[in-house]
Amino acid sequence: MCGCAPRTRTRRRAEPGLQNRRSGRGPGAALRSGRGTGPASRAARPGPSQTAGRSRAMGRLVALSLLGIGLALLGERFLALRNRLKASREVESLDLPNCHLIKGIEAGAEDIDILPNGLAFFSVGLKFPGLHSFAPDKPGGILLMDLKEERPRALELRVSWGFNLASFNPHGISTFIDGDDTVYLFVVNHPEFKNTVEIFKFEEEENSLLHMKTIKHELLPSVNDIIAVGPTHFYATNDHYFSDPFLKYLETYLNLRWANVVYYSPDEVKLVAEGFDSANGINISPDKKYVYVADILAHEIHVLEKQPNMNLTQLKVLQLGTLVDNLSIDPSSGDIWVGCHPNGQKLFVYDPNHPPASEVLRIQNILSEKPSVTTVYINNGSVLQGSSVATVYDKKLLIGTLYQKALYCEL
């Protein structure tokens, strides 16, 4: 028999660290697996879904911020455009006593120019994107009225064979008398809404116009008005920098002030003035020293001094409280007569129940420190809608419109 003491088996409790190492669940394992063991670890190491969610939230925040800025800019531009259009302005009529509508003009007489002998040319039937038309399918034309007659009538001039009358869309006009008394008529034309300048020779005995030349140029993308300074020389206003209708609208909406004035001659074509909101009517002083430009949406008339090289230098700006369109000069006094639009929005959003009004201003001594500005005529649209030009001859006043009628008044 063995006298040895019985053998006992002792089970040792594993140390915590050893247990974790054996089970593969130690701190190192937790880090290697990428999983935290508590809230602090999860916050410090966000998972892929959390990171993506935060990126989406940040993207939405940026998009909303940009949208807000964009809407604020559009809203500010919209309010500014309404102010430039004088969209809230209403007027009370100030009619003249001895006036009557000119028979035969029912679709606008956008511009009028009068020769020293009293023959008045009318540019009629303008059609323009965004403007109402009372005769959308009828081409435009040039009418003639002899203001020396006791009862003058407006008669349409014949145009020489070969000129495309079907697409004739006349806008601003200007006359020039050469040294041999030849009369040239310059016409801004928009055939198929493009931009050309047509030069005609007026043949008085035949009451006709002989087409001489068509002018196109890249510096004439959106011609509005013209003033002739030679038989083939002129200044012209571009009311927009662009020719595309959408870009024109965007240019106007954003108030880029890229409109300009161009000088044209057969030898040289150049930009001579720029920075206008919408350069419109243009004319020249009787002594040929100064050029006047109407900035219709800025409610201004710019006085520019003509240089020997035909460049223009700005001399002064006259602020007015209305939308100034075409400018006419009284050759005897140098006074400027202006066809104006009291509310420009009504021109483009035509409502027969609330038609656009008409307004005529007379400006005296524009070169002085305090020019005199007189309101000669206002009508709320009940008689005359959308006056674009006013011109005088021997105490007779003619008022034309963009797309409606024309008025003859004895002053």
Side-chain angles (χ1 to χ4, degrees):
M1 294 182 62
C2 179
C4 298
R7 189 180 293 177
T8 60
R9 182 174 295 173
T10 304
R11 182 175 294 173
R12 294 195 309 174
R13 182 173 296 176
E15 297 177 6
L18 181 61
Q19 267 191 330
N20 288 339
R21 286 193 296 272
R22 287 177 179 173
S23 63
R25 294 196 301 270
L31 292 174
R32 287 192 298 272
S33 67
R35 295 192 301 272
T37 58
S41 298
R42 286 195 296 271
R45 293 278 181 171
S49 61
Q50 289 177 310
T51 303
R54 290 183 180 181
S55 298
R56 286 194 295 271
M58 183 61 70
R60 292 191 186 105
L61 181 61
V62 172
L64 287 173
S65 299
L66 292 175
L67 178 62
I69 293 171
L71 291 175
L73 176 62
L74 290 175
E76 187 273 334
R77 290 292 86 191
F78 176 73
L79 292 176
L81 179 59
R82 280 182 55 85
N83 182 59
R84 288 152 62 206
L85 290 171
K86 296 287 182 180
S88 301
R89 188 183 177 203
E90 299 291 340
V91 296
E92 295 183 4
S93 294
L94 174 66
D95 294 319
L96 293 170
N98 302 310
C99 297
H100 66 267
L101 295 171
I102 300 174
K103 187 177 180 180
I105 299 179
E106 303 291 338
E110 200 279 336
D111 202 5
I112 305 171
D113 200 13
I114 305 175
L115 294 176
N117 62 4
L119 293 178
F121 295 88
F122 295 75
S123 165
V124 300
L126 174 66
K127 283 164 281 293
F128 214 67
L131 284 182
H132 181 73
S133 175
F134 286 101
D137 300 321
K138 183 181 178 181
I142 302 295
L143 304 187
L144 184 70
M145 174 183 280
D146 188 348
L147 297 179
K148 287 188 175 180
E149 293 181 353
E150 185 176 349
R151 295 183 178 179
R153 298 177 301 160
L155 302 174
E156 186 166 2
L157 291 175
R158 294 183 295 107
V159 180
S160 62
W161 182 85
F163 180 75
N164 187 358
L165 278 174
S167 64
F168 194 29
N169 191 11
H171 198 165
I173 60 175
S174 178
T175 56
F176 180 80
I177 303 176
D178 209 351
D180 59 359
D181 293 332
T182 301
V183 176
Y184 295 96
L185 179 68
F186 292 64
V187 181
V188 175
N189 187 22
H190 303 292
E192 300 176 349
F193 301 124
K194 297 177 182 178
N195 293 270
T196 65
V197 173
E198 313 292 347
I199 302 179
F200 298 93
K201 179 182 177 182
F202 174 53
E203 298 181 324
E204 185 175 354
E205 294 182 359
E206 290 80 17
N207 274 342
S208 65
L209 296 171
L210 176 64
H211 185 248
M212 306 293 291
K213 188 175 184 179
T214 295
I215 296 171
K216 301 178 183 178
H217 197 275
E218 60 182 6
L219 289 181
L220 300 170
S222 185
V223 192
N224 187 298
D225 196 17
I226 189 169
I227 180 65
V229 292
T232 53
H233 309 65
F234 58 84
Y235 289 102
T237 57
N238 285 305
D239 52 26
H240 290 83
Y241 178 82
F242 297 107
S243 58
D244 178 79
F246 174 76
L247 293 178
K248 282 185 177 183
Y249 176 79
L250 192 63
E251 179 184 345
T252 299
Y253 194 85
L254 297 178
N255 192 14
L256 297 181
R257 301 188 69 89
W258 289 354
N260 54 56
V261 178
V262 170
Y263 170 72
Y264 178 92
S265 74
D267 301 321
E268 183 180 31
V269 184
K270 59 183 178 179
L271 187 70
V272 292
E274 58 186 338
F276 301 95
D277 189 341
S278 183
N280 199 291
I282 187 170
N283 218 310
I284 194 167
S285 61
D287 60 10
K288 313 302 180 186
K289 292 181 179 181
Y290 305 99
V291 171
Y292 309 123
V293 177
D295 192 335
I296 185 169
L297 290 179
H299 323 136
E300 299 170 343
I301 294 178
H302 292 246
V303 179
L304 307 167
E305 188 173 9
K306 184 167 70 71
Q307 304 300 323
N309 61 359
M310 306 306 288
N311 287 340
L312 301 177
T313 304
Q314 181 156 292
L315 189 64
K316 65 181 297 184
V317 178
L318 179 64
Q319 295 281 346
L320 299 166
T322 188
L323 281 73
V324 288
D325 201 321
N326 286 312
L327 310 174
S328 299
I329 309 299
D330 183 341
S332 61
S333 64
D335 295 349
I336 303 174
W337 290 76
V338 193
C340 307
H341 307 288
N343 185 325
Q345 180 168 291
K346 290 185 177 183
L347 292 175
F348 299 98
V349 186
Y350 184 77
D351 181 354
N353 297 316
H354 301 280
S358 294
E359 184 176 17
V360 172
L361 300 181
R362 178 187 184 185
I363 302 171
Q364 297 171 283
N365 302 315
I366 193 170
L367 296 176
S368 67
E369 292 185 5
K370 293 184 178 181
S372 172
V373 180
T374 305
T375 300
V376 177
Y377 175 85
I378 298 181
N379 182 263
N380 60 11
S382 59
V383 176
L384 203 64
Q385 302 176 12
S387 56
S388 56
V389 61
T391 185
V392 294
Y393 177 83
D394 192 24
K395 296 184 179 181
K396 300 176 180 68
L397 171 65
L398 302 177
I399 307 173
T401 66
L402 273 177
Y403 45 65
Q404 194 225 14
K405 301 178 181 181
L407 201 65
Y408 174 98
C409 300
E410 296 278 354
L411 296 177

